[in-house]
Each structure stands twice: as structure tokens, then as C-alpha cells.
Amino acid sequence: MASMCICRASRPSTWTSRIRTSGISIAPSRHETYSASTILRRKHTSIVTHATLRPRKAFVTLHPTCTSLLPVKLSCRASSLAPTSQDTTTTTTSSPLKELPPYTPPTTGLLSYLPPSIVPYAELIRLDKPTGTYYLFFPCLFSTLLAGTMATPITPPSTILSTTLLFLTGALVMRGAGCTINDLWDRNLDPHVSRTRLRPIARGAITPRSAILFTGGQLFTGLAVLLSLPFECFWYATPSLLFVATYPLAKRVTHYPQFVLGLTFSWGAMMGFPALGIDLLSHDAAMKAAACLYASNVGWTVLYDMIYAHMDIKDDAKAGIKSIALKHDKETKAVLSGLAVVQVGLLGAAGVAAGLGPVFFVGSCGGAAVTLGTMIWRVRLKEVKDCWWWFRNGAWFTGGAIALGLAGEYVARLTGMYEEVEVKEED
């Protein structure tokens, strides 16, 4: 960002130019240039917005909300121009982010029907962007269908449905809590990223204190949903809060925050088992199946979030935010392909540990391989809109394929299809 403000006085011998930066005054000579570092030493969170000339003083007002000031030059010069009766005001050029459109309240979609006072909180939990909720929900659905298939006797469909609805509610609430925590951590970074600059906390629509109170409400709501499940689920779910709270920090210390996100979003891959009464610590096959399913979902999360990270790759580099997309920008598709192989392989291992049949391997493993391969081949990583399209729809392509394969396996076992095939083969 470059800003230049020139003040001219007709009587340089009797007039004094003075730069005032939020209470800090600097008396320049007749022609003096101030670098960004000079101003930063006096007020490091400011940017020049306008200058006003009055007799004996030229006031330069600095805006307190911008933290990017390089390079900024300010020059006060004297000339023989005649003074005017009115103050002269010069507006500086704005930063690249300032040139972007300002915030406008939603006029379409779900948020447009909400009261204006509620809209910032709905935006904070990404109510209008539910893709993250789907990604958090799918591992819960996978483990519920897998555990229902492994249970003895097989879990009734009504229990599968009620458990699934509870997990969907929990995913909605906890994803919102995770977004709020993330935005609290990133409140000083989001204003410098074009995609996130208008988030409620970043633009000042919600104060950090209000966001913290809101987070507490969401966590208590999530606890209520969790306690609606068998109490064993409480002990399995509690450790995930550590990852929820620390994921935003990972972006500051490692190029692989997506791995931490994977550990967080994939936690539901274990929750279906205790929810249906299967104790992982005493059921060896279930433990192996859950571990493989969890690891498979971690790989899937890193894969889709690597594509998502490409939407912000330029702004992240400028803001100092680390991501796997920045680390492996030159070989992204090779990394994505490797992650896809790992995910499908671990998904197949989960099926082997659970003793699943061909419906699962063809539907879930085959479907995941086809959808992931298509996405990796076709996604244009340099185009933000294309990355967003594949991120949003990939949840349904891959997640839907895995869920349908598991649901088909559950139905096959519920209806005794495999037993009929075995009887015919014996005959």
C-alpha cells in the first residue's frame, strides 16, 4: 500500500507544518519525507487517511484499524501558492483490501429471513455455508452404519436413524463452535485476507467478548446433544475438544494444519460404536475397524482441505499463515493422489477388519476411488471458484459414495442377502 499526502503553504516563513499521529506530533522541516518505519515507531497500527491544512498546522489523521503500512511516505512542502479561506483536504490512496466491496447485509437465502441482530451470529457459525457441517457429519454417519452392521444382533433401522439425526444435530452445533473459536484466534489475521475480511468478528459486527459467550452457549448445547447418546460417548468425545481449540494455532506453527483439522473432523469415525453399544476397548475387531476408518477420514480431510487452502494461497503467503497448499504448491496433485490412495486403502482395511462383503468394497471403496480420482484430475487449483466448487460438491460425491456403500452393506446383512447367497452356493 502506498499513500502520499502533500501539504502546501504560501507563507513558509511563518507557517509550521506538523504531523500528528493519534496524539504523537512530529515537526518537519520545509521539505521532509517520513518513511513507514518512522511512523510505525510512533503508532504501529495506523495508516494515513487524510491531511488537513490550517494556519500554522497541517494535521494528518491516521486510521487505527489497519496494520499494514508498507510502504508509506508522507511529504510536507512549502510553495508560493496563495492560501485559501477553507481547509484543504487530500485523501490518500487505499490498500488493495480497501478497494474490495464493503459488507452488505444478505438479501437472498436463509440469512435474509433472519432479524438483522441475528445475522452476524448466523454468519459466524457459517449457517449459510453448510459444507463444513457435512464434512463433520459424514464420519459420524460412516461409523454408525459400520457399527450397526457389526452389532450382534444387527442394529434396528429406527436406532440407526435416531442416532444419525443426533449426530447431524451435534455436527451442526459443534461445527459452529469450531468456526467461532477459529475466528476468535484469527481476528487479527482475517482482515488481511480478502475471503475472510468481512467475517463478523473481523469487521467488528461481533466483539470478542460476545463471541466467547456465544461459544459457551454452543458448547453447552453440544453437551446436551452428547448426553442424549449413551453416556459412554461422553468419554470418547471429550478429548476431541483439545483439537477443536488448538487447530487455529497450528496454522501459525506448521505447514500441515490440515492434519490437525483431520484429527478433529474425523473424530466421529469412532463415535458410532459407543453410540450403538459397542465398547471399542473390549471389542478387538471393532477397535481395528474404527482405527482404520478414523485414519481414512483423516486422509480425506487433509485431501479436501488442501484443495480448499488453494483458495487463499496468495493471501496466506502475505499474512504469514501456513498451509499444506503453500508447502507443496508445485506438486499439489501428486500429494492429493497419494492422499487418495491412503484414504481408499485404509477404508478397505476397515472393511476387512469388520468382515464386510462385496457391497461395501464395490460401493464405498470403488465409489471413493472414482470420485476422488475425478476430482483430482479435473480441479483447477489456480481458480478460486473451481476449488470452491469441488470442495463443496466433493462432500457429496465421495462422502455420499462411501455412505451408500455402507448403507448397502447394512441392508444386505439386515435382509440376510449374504446368507441366501451362501445357501445357494452350498446347494
Side-chain angles (χ1 to χ4, degrees), residues 380-426:
R380 296 186 291 273
L381 297 169
K382 301 301 181 183
E383 299 181 17
V384 173
K385 290 183 178 179
D386 200 60
C387 289
W388 170 248
W389 191 94
W390 283 103
F391 172 79
R392 183 185 62 199
N393 293 287
W396 293 105
F397 293 156
T398 304
I402 296 173
L404 286 175
L406 284 165
E409 183 72 19
Y410 170 78
V411 171
R413 291 180 179 270
L414 182 67
T415 59
M417 186 182 76
Y418 288 145
E419 295 176 0
E420 294 177 1
V421 172
E422 290 176 358
V423 169
K424 289 181 179 180
E425 288 179 352
E426 289 177 358

Side-chain angles (χ1 to χ4, degrees), residues 306 324-325 327-337 381:
M306 187 175 187
I324 191 173
K327 182 69 173 179
H328 299 283
D329 185 26
K330 303 292 184 182
E331 60 274 0
T332 295
K333 293 212 171 184
V335 175
L336 292 174
S337 300
L381 297 169

Side-chain angles (χ1 to χ4, degrees), residues 183-215:
D183 288 5
L184 279 168
W185 279 113
D186 290 350
R187 63 186 182 275
N188 294 324
L189 295 176
D190 284 345
H192 304 286
V193 178
S194 59
R195 186 180 58 84
T196 62
R197 67 190 177 88
L198 295 180
R199 284 178 175 174
I201 298 177
R203 71 173 190 265
I206 298 177
T207 64
R209 181 176 181 275
S210 298
I212 291 173
L213 294 174
F214 185 53
T215 302

Side-chain angles (χ1 to χ4, degrees), residues 314-328:
K314 294 181 179 179
D315 288 334
D316 285 351
K318 295 176 182 177
I321 301 173
K322 301 180 188 299
S323 75
I324 191 173
L326 279 170
K327 182 69 173 179
H328 299 283

Side-chain angles (χ1 to χ4, degrees), residues 7 48 155 180 209 213 219 232 260 300 309 317 319 336-337 357 374 421:
C7 308
V48 178
T155 306
T180 307
R209 181 176 181 275
L213 294 174
L219 293 178
E232 290 77 11
V260 181
W300 185 34
L336 292 174
S337 300
T374 302
V421 172

